[in-house]
Amino acid sequence: MKRSRWWITIWLVLIILAVSAGCSEAQDDVPNNKVQNDGENETKTESPEAQEQSSPDTAKQADVDEQPSTVYYEIFVRSFYDSNGDGIGDLGGVIEKLDYLNDGNPDTDTDLGVEGIWLMPINPSPSYHGYDVTDYYDINPEYGTLEDFKRLTEEAHKRGIKVIMDLVVNHSSSEHPWFTDSKNPDGKYRSWYTWKNKDEKVDSTSAAGSGNAWHTADDSKYLGIFWEGMPDLNLDNPEVRQEMIKIGQFWLEQGADGFRLDAAKHVFIDTQGDYSNKDKAAKNITWWNEFRKGMDEVNPEAYIVGEIWDNSPVTVAPYLEPFDSGFNFGLAEQLVDLANRERGADLGFSISRAYDLFAKISNGAFIDAPFLTNHDQERVMSVLGGNVDRAKVAASLLLTIPGNPFIYYGEEIGMQGKKPDEFIREPMLWFEQPKAGQTSWETTRHNNETPSVERQSSDPESLLSHYRKMIGWRNEVKALRDGSIADYPSDNDKMTAFVRMTQDERVLVVHMSGEEQKLTLRDKSEFTNLLLYTKEGSKLGEDGKTLTLPPYGSAILN
């Protein structure tokens, strides 16, 4: 049950005060809210003896706020798998590869084991990416038909896979019949977009950072904060709002399990000046609550995750009233940075602090949506300089923290990619040599040396095998899958340690850098068994207090 808006306002004030008072000093010299600074680590690290004699373990005092989780896999259909030989991925191709994602048999280990997929836009569109929609009630003919979509959801559900789809509410295509009609000042859909006289003075700088927010058409200009081909829909118009709700309900009725909502922060925040406009921010939340209510009428269990591109938990938190999740961009940067710099951090402390804020807004109903990188960012393997060991650490971090982790297609085999966007959405590499099914709509530029799924599947040391292993751990250990998180202070600044816990299970998670490292356990009677580990040579000493991990190792103790 979500809180009322007046209660939200009260909590926001308290949150802002808490963050200002408690967080600023710890983050002063850490760009983009990344890892805690060394000074904070020093103040939290004591000798093992002092730790044992000090106040009870933070983890023991923490409230257990379980977050039942699902691992999701983001698919750009055009690049994924081609079922009809035209070089373009399609829904039939996704169906053919469902067993790669999850074959529905928990006793096998040859699938990834994900339990959800997010389909990037699949509606008709004049662009390769699909974020400018021309028909919200149909499937892009290059991808298939509405019947193909229904068959996909049916086959996915047989395997225990949920299907959520991208829903682009902020804007349509400039080729959508609504917009074509709206160019006429007397058109039926004129008020479905925001039009101004060509000479009228307006705030012109796009809040999306994409240049001028206004574009000229005849004697008028229209609002399109991302691009002239994506005119913003006017959600001040109740007819537009009702139509968007109708569209969402339609896709739930076709079998979709929910939505990833594109540009959720920008519905009423159009220009740079809008960022400081509290009324416009409040209108965003009011609208999304209206949308959520409409979805609940069809499927109260529909999963809704919003793209709220901001590193600040304070900005993201209000959206957790209407949404189940918001993508955690700040945490994504932190995870990749930890893997890249091969250092440790008080990850449990920083995550649990943010979750306290989220829980207050959502009345405990939120679930986080962590990821490494996505279709708008340079691929994580490129950020990590092609280092497979670091990529394994990044995967281990992602798949051992709470929430619904999202894996970008190809991330599990180490696909690389740098901007422009086409080059971070290259064809998925299934085979060592071209074969039927391999998409070819875009020439591979960054992945000529990337080992394919075919090659990595039989290699137990491959990145793909590592992803399978870590998802397997998550599915096997209830505390990893559904548990809350708490700090576990480390006496080694190159090791990251935290506790995951449910009401009836507690485990210690430890990750490390590129050299063999040792961690002194605070209480040798609490975690006494080395349950799982990624590298041979991992061991718990005879004293019961010293954990040794080889380079780039991870371990779970209970």
Side-chain angles (χ1 to χ4, degrees):
M1 189 68 66
K2 303 295 184 181
R3 293 182 181 270
S4 62
R5 289 191 46 73
W6 65 269
W7 194 234
I8 292 288
T9 303
I10 292 173
W11 273 121
L12 272 178
V13 172
L14 293 175
I15 288 168
I16 292 169
L17 290 174
V19 171
S20 299
C23 303
S24 59
E25 182 177 346
Q27 299 289 348
D28 278 348
D29 56 354
V30 185
N32 295 322
N33 292 329
K34 290 185 178 178
V35 294
Q36 304 295 316
N37 62 46
D38 293 335
E40 182 176 274
N41 283 337
E42 288 174 6
T43 61
K44 297 186 67 178
T45 303
E46 308 172 36
S47 69
E49 293 77 8
Q51 289 173 354
E52 273 196 57
Q53 296 172 10
S54 63
S55 60
D57 193 315
T58 306
K60 295 178 182 178
Q61 295 179 325
D63 293 329
V64 178
D65 180 17
E66 295 186 13
Q67 290 192 31
S69 73
T70 299
V71 179
Y72 279 85
Y73 187 88
E74 178 187 359
I75 296 176
F76 182 39
V77 174
R78 182 173 295 273
S79 286
F80 198 57
Y81 197 78
D82 171 21
S83 70
N84 61 9
D86 64 358
I88 295 173
D90 46 49
L91 296 181
V94 177
I95 294 171
E96 287 190 36
K97 285 301 179 181
L98 285 175
D99 283 349
Y100 167 79
L101 300 171
N102 189 331
D103 61 12
N105 184 351
D107 295 326
T108 61
D109 60 2
T110 55
D111 57 339
L112 268 179
V114 303
E115 295 177 323
I117 57 176
W118 153 27
L119 303 176
M120 288 170 61
I122 56 175
N123 301 116
S125 166
S127 299
Y128 84 93
H129 50 72
Y131 281 99
D132 47 343
V133 175
T134 55
D135 185 348
Y136 284 95
Y137 293 97
D138 205 354
I139 298 293
N140 186 329
E142 293 182 319
Y143 293 169
T145 65
L146 191 55
E147 289 305 312
D148 291 327
F149 177 78
K150 292 177 181 178
R151 186 163 63 94
L152 169 58
T153 60
E154 290 169 0
E155 291 297 323
H157 292 162
K158 288 178 185 178
R159 295 163 173 80
I161 302 174
K162 300 175 183 178
V163 180
I164 66 172
M165 56 184 289
D166 236 308
L167 191 61
V168 187
V169 174
N170 183 74
H171 51 264
S172 75
S173 169
S174 60
E175 297 182 24
H176 196 293
W178 298 339
F179 185 75
T180 302
D181 173 87
S182 79
K183 290 181 178 180
N184 180 349
D186 299 320
K188 175 182 177 182
Y189 294 101
R190 180 73 170 186
S191 64
W192 283 44
Y193 298 86
T194 303
W195 288 92
K196 301 284 187 183
N197 183 285
K198 184 171 64 174
D199 298 323
E200 185 174 343
K201 291 185 178 180
V202 292
D203 186 350
S204 62
T205 307
S206 168
S210 51
N212 196 325
W214 294 89
H215 312 280
T216 302
D218 299 324
D219 293 329
S220 303
K221 57 187 174 186
Y222 63 91
L223 184 66
I225 68 170
F226 287 98
W227 172 51
E228 63 182 10
M230 294 177 174
D232 282 25
L233 286 158
N234 175 22
L235 273 87
D236 276 320
N237 184 332
E239 292 181 348
V240 178
R241 297 200 303 273
Q242 189 56 44
E243 184 67 17
M244 289 298 118
I245 290 171
K246 181 182 173 184
I247 290 165
Q249 291 174 332
F250 171 82
W251 288 106
L252 293 181
E253 289 165 352
Q254 307 313 305
D257 297 293
F259 304 103
R260 178 263 188 185
L261 297 174
D262 181 63
K265 187 175 72 171
H266 290 293
V267 175
F268 295 103
I269 296 178
D270 304 316
T271 62
Q272 286 294 325
D274 291 329
Y275 274 122
S276 59
N277 189 321
K278 296 179 181 179
D279 290 338
K280 288 205 170 187
K283 284 173 69 175
N284 275 350
I285 308 304
T286 298
W287 151 242
W288 289 123
N289 273 316
E290 184 180 349
F291 179 84
R292 172 91 244 188
K293 183 179 178 181
M295 299 310 100
D296 287 348
E297 292 173 4
V298 175
N299 180 6
E301 301 302 316
Y303 176 60
I304 297 180
V305 54
E307 182 199 28
I308 310 118
W309 197 324
D310 199 292
N311 284 4
S312 169
V314 174
T315 301
V316 175
Y319 290 88
L320 298 178
E321 182 188 9
F323 300 161
D324 299 287
S325 304
F327 284 112
N328 199 328
F329 285 88
L331 180 57
E333 285 191 14
Q334 185 177 7
L335 297 178
V336 176
D337 186 67
L338 287 176
N340 211 15
R341 295 203 289 160
E342 298 188 359
R343 59 163 293 171
D346 296 323
L347 200 58
F349 175 76
S350 59
I351 291 177
S352 60
R353 183 172 60 185
Y355 285 5
D356 285 345
L357 309 185
F358 294 162
K360 290 170 183 175
I361 288 294
S362 67
N363 199 20
F366 86 98
I367 183 166
D368 200 17
F371 65 102
L372 296 177
T373 59
N374 66 21
H375 64 279
D376 286 322
Q377 301 169 302
E378 295 192 347
R379 282 187 172 271
V380 62
M381 184 58 101
S382 291
V383 178
L384 298 176
N387 188 308
V388 175
D389 288 319
R390 290 176 178 176
K392 288 181 178 180
V393 171
S396 298
L397 288 164
L398 174 67
L399 293 166
T400 54
I401 58 176
N404 290 339
F406 279 75
I407 299 167
Y408 184 37
Y409 83 94
E411 196 164 86
E412 76 278 15
I413 60 171
M415 284 183 62
Q416 299 194 45
K418 296 184 176 182
K419 295 277 191 173
D421 287 347
E422 292 90 331
F423 301 163
I424 53 180
R425 304 169 187 173
E426 290 187 359
M428 176 73 174
L429 294 176
W430 294 105
F431 313 111
E432 285 299 289
Q433 300 297 327
K435 293 183 182 179
Q438 183 71 50
T439 65
S440 57
W441 73 274
E442 176 75 8
T443 301
T444 295
R445 290 169 174 79
H446 292 285
N447 290 288
N448 290 310
E449 304 300 322
T450 300
S452 67
V453 170
E454 181 181 47
R455 179 176 168 186
Q456 293 195 36
S457 288
S458 59
D459 179 2
E461 299 302 317
S462 69
L463 182 59
L464 174 58
S465 294
H466 184 79
Y467 267 86
R468 288 171 173 168
K469 175 189 295 183
M470 297 308 299
I471 295 173
W473 283 15
R474 191 178 185 91
N475 292 336
E476 175 185 345
V477 180
K478 188 174 186 295
L480 283 184
R481 181 185 179 93
D482 301 334
S484 62
I485 190 169
D487 185 29
Y488 192 90
S490 168
D491 65 341
N492 185 334
D493 64 6
K494 293 187 177 181
M495 303 183 82
T496 296
F498 50 86
V499 173
R500 297 291 311 279
M501 54 197 171
T502 60
Q503 294 290 346
D504 53 7
E505 183 179 39
R506 288 165 53 82
V507 298
L508 177 64
V509 181
V510 185
H511 304 290
M512 58 149 316
S513 65
E515 300 174 353
E516 181 177 281
Q517 299 291 336
K518 297 181 185 296
L519 174 73
T520 304
L521 303 186
R522 300 183 65 189
D523 181 350
K524 65 181 181 181
S525 65
E526 183 178 10
F527 300 108
T528 60
N529 177 48
L530 188 56
L531 179 65
L532 296 164
Y533 51 87
T534 58
K535 294 288 188 75
E536 292 297 329
S538 304
K539 60 184 178 181
L540 187 59
E542 294 182 2
D543 62 358
K545 293 189 64 174
T546 305
L547 173 67
T548 302
L549 291 183
Y552 304 105
S554 297
I556 311 294
L557 290 78
N558 63 2

